Amino acid sequence: MKDVYLFSGFLGSGKTSMLTDVIRQLKEANLKPAVIMNELGKLPFDSQAVEEDVPLKEMLEGCICCSGAEKTEAQIQSLLHDQEFDVLIIETTGAAHPVEALDAVYSPLFADKLNIKGIVTVADSRLWLNRSNLTPQVRSLFMEQIRHAHLLLANKTDLLTESEQAQVVYELQGFNAKAFILQTTNGRVPLKLLQNIQSTARVSKDDIVTARIGESFNLGSRLIRFDTSFTQEQFENWVRSLPDTVYRMKGYVPIEGIKNPMLFQYAYGMVQWLPEYIKMEPNLVIIGENINTLEII
C-alpha cells in the first residue's frame, strides 16, 4: 500500500513551499516520494520546485477534479506501473474543491493499492482574517478547502500579531473542530505529524476497519466489495435512501442478467450507468461525511 497525501489550499497559500520541504523530509527518512502536480496555466511553474530525481506527473490547463479525473487516474496508474515510490503527494490547484480532488484520486481501479492518509490544507492566516473581502464564490471555495481538511496549516503567522494569531486559531477550530491545526511559516510541517493523520477507513460489507488514530473525520472514503448481484432498481432505491452527506460514488456494480459489472457513478444526486466490456472487480468507492455508519445494500 502506498500512502497518499492530498495537498489543498487557496492560490498563494504556500502549498508548494510545503511540498518541497516535505519531499526533503521524506528523503531524509529514506522514503521515496512521487508527485502529481496540477496547475491552471499552460506552463509548469510550480513543478520546477520538484527535484529531478522525484517521479513527477503534471496536469496543466485544468483541474484535477471533474473533467480531469480520468487523466488523473491515468497518471496514477502510470506511476504505479512504471515507478518505485513509497509516498504519493498530490498537489491540487488552488481552485480545486477537496471533495472533487479526492474523488479523482480514489478510483476503484486502484483503491486497494493506495492508502489515502488525508487532506492537508494550507490556509493563509491573513487571508482568513480578511475573508469578508473575497467574492462570495471565492470565499466559499476558500472555506470549503478548510472545512474538509484533516490537517490544517495556519500559514504565514509571522505576518500577524500575537492576538491575530490567537484569533485565527480560535476561529479555525470553531469552523473545523476535527482537524489538527498547526501554526506555520513557509508551510513547514513535521513529517511525523503528516504520518499520524488517517482520513479513511477501509470497509467491506462484512468487515469494518476503524481509522488508525481512532477518530472519525468529517470527510472520508469507504471501499465496498460486492459478492452478489442486484437489479438496477434495487441499487438505485438504495442510493436514494442515502443521506445528503454522501457526495460521490464510483465503481463497478454487478447487475443481474449483465455479464460484466457496470460502471456506476454518482455525484450530488445524479446517477450514471455505463456498460463495461472488460470484467472489472465489483468494487464501489463512497466519498462523504460520517460514512462508516451507512447501511450497505
Side-chain angles (χ1 to χ4, degrees), residues 38-53:
N38 181 223
E39 300 190 55
L40 286 173
K42 295 183 179 181
L43 297 175
F45 292 114
D46 287 346
S47 61
Q48 295 170 12
V50 179
E51 298 174 15
E52 290 185 1
D53 63 335

Side-chain angles (χ1 to χ4, degrees), residues 239-240 243-244 246-249 265-272:
V239 171
R240 281 191 287 269
D244 294 338
V246 173
Y247 301 138
R248 290 281 191 274
M249 287 188 283
Q265 299 191 68
Y266 169 92
Y268 300 106
M270 301 293 291
V271 166
Q272 181 185 43

Side-chain angles (χ1 to χ4, degrees), residues 208 216 222 243 289-296:
I208 296 180
S216 175
R222 186 168 174 177
E289 299 182 48
N290 304 315
I291 57 174
N292 288 340
T293 58
L294 293 180
E295 289 288 334
I296 302 303

Side-chain angles (χ1 to χ4, degrees), residues 259-274:
K259 181 179 178 182
N260 296 322
M262 292 187 69
L263 174 61
F264 173 81
Q265 299 191 68
Y266 169 92
Y268 300 106
M270 301 293 291
V271 166
Q272 181 185 43
W273 294 94
L274 292 172

Side-chain angles (χ1 to χ4, degrees), residues 65-129:
C65 55
C66 305
S67 60
E70 289 78 13
K71 294 180 181 178
T72 306
E73 289 181 10
Q75 300 283 42
I76 295 174
Q77 285 280 60
S78 176
L79 281 173
L80 288 170
H81 185 266
D82 300 333
Q83 302 289 341
E84 288 293 330
F85 63 94
D86 303 303
V87 178
L88 175 60
I89 300 172
I90 299 173
E91 182 186 328
T92 66
T93 170
H97 190 292
V99 174
E100 308 279 3
L102 186 60
D103 175 51
V105 302
Y106 209 164
S107 166
L109 294 175
F110 39 72
D112 59 343
K113 298 182 178 68
L114 301 179
N115 177 37
I116 312 294
K117 294 283 286 183
I119 296 172
V120 183
T121 296
V122 188
D124 183 326
S125 296
R126 183 170 291 282
L127 185 61
W128 171 264
L129 293 176

